[in-house]
Amino acid sequence: MSSPQAPEDGQGCGDRGDPPGDLRSVLVTTVLNLEPLDEDLFRGRHYWVPAKRLFGGQIVGQALVAAAKSVSEDVHVHSLHCYFVRAGDPKLPVLYQVERTRTGSSFSVRSVKAVQHGKPIFICQASFQQAQPSPMQHQFSMPTVPPPEELLDCETLIDQYLRDPNLQKRYPLALNRIAAQEVPIEIKPVNPSPLSQLQRMEPKQMFWVRARGYIGKSEGDMKMHCCVAAYISDYAFLGTALLPHQWQHKVHFMVSLDHSMWFHAPFRADHWMLYECESPWAGGSRGLVHGRLWRQDGVLAVTCAQEGVIRVKPQVSESKL
């Protein structure tokens, strides 16, 4: 076990140095760039809509941006707890209403309500803390995995799948839909399962993730790194609970119910971080997932948890007659 340390300039940077400011991440310039309407009232718009619903990570990230705008520069988020209460409409912007629940000398709490059509679609509470050093420190050890420089990204993997005529015939819509998505994060699975060798898997997965583009490294940018991590944390997270079942069951309906995060140490969301995901339980048409975001230097930066609704149908095997 080791003690959390501040991120170095090269922490988890892989093959990327810090590019100039005109290459700033679209997550900063568009997705998480809220429009102020009044004091503690903001409007957010959409960049990437993966389905008929809004991406949950976008709502979490935007809500944290709104909350962070209501606290002083010397406090940083240490936890947030959210509920998704209605489906978001991708055709409309989202209004974020911030309530300054408590402002204390060490901790401050903000409540955020995301509203569409005059009704809340999401509620969140975020707690912020002034830095307080402590001699009591410990953490788990980071899993030993290949570095991101040795792994293929999702775009390359999908391109390989598309070149396989058997897979192209079996999954034409899914593969082309994934290939066409402009996801604002880079992903490198640690141990991708070949689609040509479908098999039962443990409810665990790991992948390297980072935001596309550049995010600043000044003290004022640290809040934005947390907001970007909130966006990233929801990507493919709940799907971890499907891994032991996806070849026997077809997903009929899957949405997030709640999402929690705890921030432990400073990090750069535009540098590679290992996302370690596992699902300890599924049942009752729900699945529970836990996640840990590790800096490349082995420091545990963020812990996540989520529960979601998962309704499935039996897979129908093709007749061989």
Side-chain angles (χ1 to χ4, degrees), residues 15-29:
D15 54 359
R16 174 199 293 175
D18 285 342
D22 59 354
L23 296 179
R24 284 180 69 83
S25 170
V26 69
L27 283 169
V28 176
T29 60

Side-chain angles (χ1 to χ4, degrees), residues 57-124:
Q58 173 183 288
I59 304 301
V60 178
Q62 290 182 340
L64 185 53
V65 169
K69 289 181 179 296
S70 70
V71 297
S72 60
E73 286 292 328
D74 60 342
V75 299
H76 296 279
V77 64
H78 72 87
S79 69
L80 61 86
H81 304 279
C82 317
Y83 282 94
F84 300 91
V85 295
R86 289 182 177 84
D89 184 349
K91 298 186 295 295
L92 291 178
V94 179
L95 294 180
Y96 293 92
Q97 303 170 351
V98 180
E99 177 184 325
R100 304 191 183 202
T101 308
R102 179 180 187 272
T103 300
S105 58
S106 298
F107 292 88
S108 297
V109 177
R110 297 293 184 262
S111 301
V112 183
K113 183 187 299 182
V115 178
Q116 284 187 322
H117 299 291
K119 297 180 179 179
I121 64 170
F122 169 92
I123 54 177
C124 170

